Amino acid sequence: MAETNLPVSAALAQSVRQHVSAMIDFRRDLHAHPELPWQEHRTTEKILEELKRIGITCRKAEPTGVIAEIVGDMPGKTVALRADMDALPVKELNDSLSYKSSHHGIMHACGHDSHTAMLLTAAKALQENKKSLRGKVRLIFQPAEEIAEGAKAMIAQGAIDGVDNVFGMHIWSSLSSGKISCNVGSSFASADLLKVTFTGRGGHGSMPEACVDAVVVASSFVMNLQAIVARETSALESAVVTIGRMEVGTRFNVIAENALLEGTVRCFDNVTRERIRAAIERYAQHTAALYGAKAEVEYSYGTQPVINEERSALLAQSVICASFDQAVLVTEKPTTGGEDFSFYMEDIPGCFALVGCRNPEKGSIWAHHHGCFNIDEDVMVSGAELYAQYAWCYLEQCRF
Ligand code: NI
């Protein structure tokens, strides 16, 4: 149950509201100039320019990204706020938008443009109120979220050194405008990559007795694989195992020697994840042995599951209720998508919120990563305020 009577700051809320039109303009400018992971040079420059203009200490990360810090006039802990800033290789289909992407085949189709604009606005508001700010607020403008590399690179460059707690958010198209969610526990799944190679013995299609058919081995493996989810995973612990690609065989009358399979595994906790990884290895080895083939499994760990730490998530819930209204706070189901924010929470507590932006009246109904994706910009003021108030309340709470 969320606490109430938190020390949300009315002055902070007022500061955020003063910057709303600049925030929308900034977001639209980023939207018109989207940049792919590790190519966010213009975006990085724009952020640095704004931060310097308002007197916030900042440095450029390499090759892209920004790490900044607001130092309150009173001593206290350090809380980090993170926004991602990269776009996708998606062609924008919103032809009537005045700020439609001007970079062909690249689009802010996940809303990261709004995350950056909201965090910048929160930064302005916190800076304007730094006289009564107790501690420090680290600002992380992170590149390359879409390829799950940015968070690790920012951490390696000191983004969370000395940080006590971390908070992030994603604008969310399946959640209605005016609703915000920040669950205790699992929020996003882990997203791992799986490669399996089967090696048999090729030969003439008419003489199977002289061969070990990689087509049969691979097919058998694919057909049996779902038993890992159905028979080895508790019904209360969700998981997805998908083989998305299979490369096997060369010609209708040639028995295939090799098969390459690629897939993804999604889990909401690391115990289930490890169990599934081990089961895949066992299924591959035993299937190969059954037919006299060999198997090699390459399991690459991608993003961790995002598991919101309890006290942090309860704080975010309280901030949502105290800043807006009890009706704003909802419980959105965890998603099997991945989010590299999870890497920040490997060492420090924190949480990640979902800010609803679905509004049929404004046409913002399309899924993330779709060419028609757009957001209801009216929700950005709440997102910016949530960033600022979370940091404020975390630092205030640590005073007691
Ligand atoms: Ni995203």
Side-chain angles (χ1 to χ4, degrees), residues 71-90:
V71 182
D73 284 3
M74 284 181 276
K77 296 221 172 201
T78 302
V79 58
L81 302 175
R82 175 271 209 173
D84 44 13
M85 54 196 262
D86 54 328
L88 287 156
V90 170

Side-chain angles (χ1 to χ4, degrees), residues 148-346:
E149 292 180 3
K152 281 189 203 166
M154 295 299 270
I155 293 166
Q157 293 181 64
I160 54 167
D161 290 359
V163 167
D164 300 293
N165 192 282
V166 61
F167 177 71
M169 67 175 71
H170 208 299
I171 208 96
W172 210 237
S173 71
S174 58
L175 189 61
S176 294
S177 292
K179 303 290 179 190
I180 304 177
S181 167
C182 188
N183 303 343
V184 172
S186 298
S187 179
F188 284 74
S190 56
D192 298 338
L193 172 65
L194 169 71
K195 282 188 190 174
V196 183
T197 310
F198 290 111
T199 308
R201 190 166 56 249
H204 199 287
S206 66
M207 299 170 195
E209 71 282 10
C211 305
V212 175
D213 189 348
V215 168
V216 173
V217 182
S219 305
S220 176
F221 174 74
V222 170
M223 293 307 289
N224 285 318
L225 197 61
Q226 293 308 320
I228 294 173
V229 177
R231 304 288 76 192
E232 297 199 28
T233 305
S234 160
L236 304 176
E237 290 157 6
S238 316
V240 178
V241 179
T242 292
I243 297 294
R245 181 166 178 264
M246 187 153 90
E247 191 183 306
V248 58
T250 52
R251 190 179 144 85
F252 79 98
N253 63 351
V254 175
I255 287 178
E257 180 151 317
N258 303 300
L260 171 68
L261 293 83
E262 291 180 344
T264 186
V265 177
R266 308 290 169 120
C267 299
F268 289 104
D269 68 272
N270 284 324
V271 175
T272 307
R273 188 186 192 190
E274 269 314 305
R275 201 187 304 132
I276 287 178
R277 188 199 61 75
I280 289 169
E281 176 78 35
R282 176 162 43 85
Y283 272 61
Q285 295 302 340
H286 286 260
T287 306
L290 179 65
Y291 295 96
K294 284 200 161 46
E296 200 181 316
V297 179
E298 201 184 310
Y299 192 95
S300 309
Y301 292 96
T303 53
Q304 298 279 349
V306 173
I307 301 172
N308 290 331
E309 189 264 335
E310 185 173 5
R311 286 186 61 185
S312 305
L314 291 176
L315 173 65
Q317 292 177 9
S318 304
V319 169
I320 293 162
C321 293
S323 301
F324 314 117
D325 186 282
Q326 295 270 353
V328 171
L329 180 65
V330 293
T331 303
E332 177 74 351
K333 282 184 211 151
T335 165
T336 46
E339 165 61 68
D340 80 352
F341 183 80
S342 54
F343 290 119
Y344 297 107
M345 291 198 293
E346 282 187 317

Side-chain angles (χ1 to χ4, degrees), residues 12-40:
L12 202 56
Q14 204 184 347
S15 288
V16 168
R17 287 191 171 86
Q18 279 167 1
H19 298 293
V20 169
S21 73
M23 172 169 66
I24 304 288
D25 288 348
F26 195 85
R27 181 252 162 179
R28 290 184 176 189
D29 177 68
L30 294 188
H31 193 90
H33 303 92
E35 295 173 304
L36 291 173
W38 296 133
Q39 294 171 25
E40 308 93 338

Side-chain angles (χ1 to χ4, degrees), residues 110 112 145-146 170:
C110 202
H112 299 186
E145 192 284 325
E146 294 291 357
H170 208 299

